[in-house]
Amino acid sequence: MVYTRDLKSLAVRLAGSTPAPGNFEQSEKIDRGAMQQTLQPKCGVGILVIKDGKLLLGKRKGSHGAGFYGSGGGHLEYGESFEEAAIREIHEEAGIEVQNLRFLAICNFISDGRHYIDVSFIADWKSGEAKPMEPEKLESWDWYDMSNLPSPLFDAVEKYIESYKTGKIFFDLELGNK
């Protein structure tokens, strides 16, 4: 089954634009073969970092998730392991080193016109001062007490935190609105 908003939105997506957020409708009329090359899910990797019982979060800016608080993360690069990607992303984005990296959860997201398979990890801070290494994408980093997190949280980070608190490791086809 393919999830689209409507055939007009599908045409926009096939042309390379992202439609505005909205409800998804199921459609059996779409030629899946024609879509497979264009509309494949992407693979994302996310990482929560803990230091002295506090969680590292950054306030996002730019086109995707502006104003929301998120963790480190990004796309899996060709030939890279999930663990390598998580460690690379947090270093590229925050300039810190981590240790004791461990699996957190896997999520299948459709959010804001994007479809991601997201593999998340949790790690302990090892060294470095968190600072925005990509200032065009992030305003600032800060450490937050788990009982007093900022708002709004980026949709993937909400699932990471739920996983951390509950032990749930699988979130399938979560429909987000951010």
Side-chain angles (χ1 to χ4, degrees), residues 49 51 91 94-99 124-130 143:
V49 179
K51 176 184 177 185
H91 182 73
I96 63 170
E97 302 296 325
V98 296
Q99 61 188 359
D124 299 319
W125 173 86
K126 181 179 179 182
S127 65
E129 180 181 336
W143 299 96

Side-chain angles (χ1 to χ4, degrees), residues 32-81:
R32 296 186 101 207
M35 290 179 48
Q36 279 188 312
Q37 291 180 353
T38 305
L39 298 178
Q40 292 289 328
K42 294 183 180 179
C43 185
V45 176
I47 182 170
L48 292 182
V49 179
I50 306 292
K51 176 184 177 185
D52 299 327
K54 294 187 176 186
L55 178 63
L56 180 65
L57 294 173
K59 189 169 185 183
R60 298 170 66 107
K61 65 180 185 179
S63 64
H64 188 57
F68 287 80
Y69 288 86
S71 64
H75 292 103
L76 180 70
E77 293 182 358
Y78 184 82
E80 186 175 46
S81 75

Side-chain angles (χ1 to χ4, degrees), residues 21-22 24 109-112 155 174-178:
F24 286 82
F109 285 112
I110 295 178
S111 178
D112 195 22
D155 53 1
E174 297 288 334
L175 302 179
N177 59 5
K178 301 173 190 133

Side-chain angles (χ1 to χ4, degrees), residues 75-130:
H75 292 103
L76 180 70
E77 293 182 358
Y78 184 82
E80 186 175 46
S81 75
F82 294 126
E83 293 90 348
E84 289 168 337
I87 292 167
R88 174 185 53 77
E89 286 289 349
I90 197 63
H91 182 73
E92 285 178 359
E93 294 175 359
I96 63 170
E97 302 296 325
V98 296
Q99 61 188 359
N100 194 21
L101 183 73
R102 51 222 182 263
F103 174 77
L104 185 62
I106 187 163
C107 306
N108 183 16
F109 285 112
I110 295 178
S111 178
D112 195 22
R114 302 164 192 237
H115 186 174
Y116 276 89
I117 307 304
D118 186 270
V119 180
S120 59
F121 294 86
I122 189 165
D124 299 319
W125 173 86
K126 181 179 179 182
S127 65
E129 180 181 336

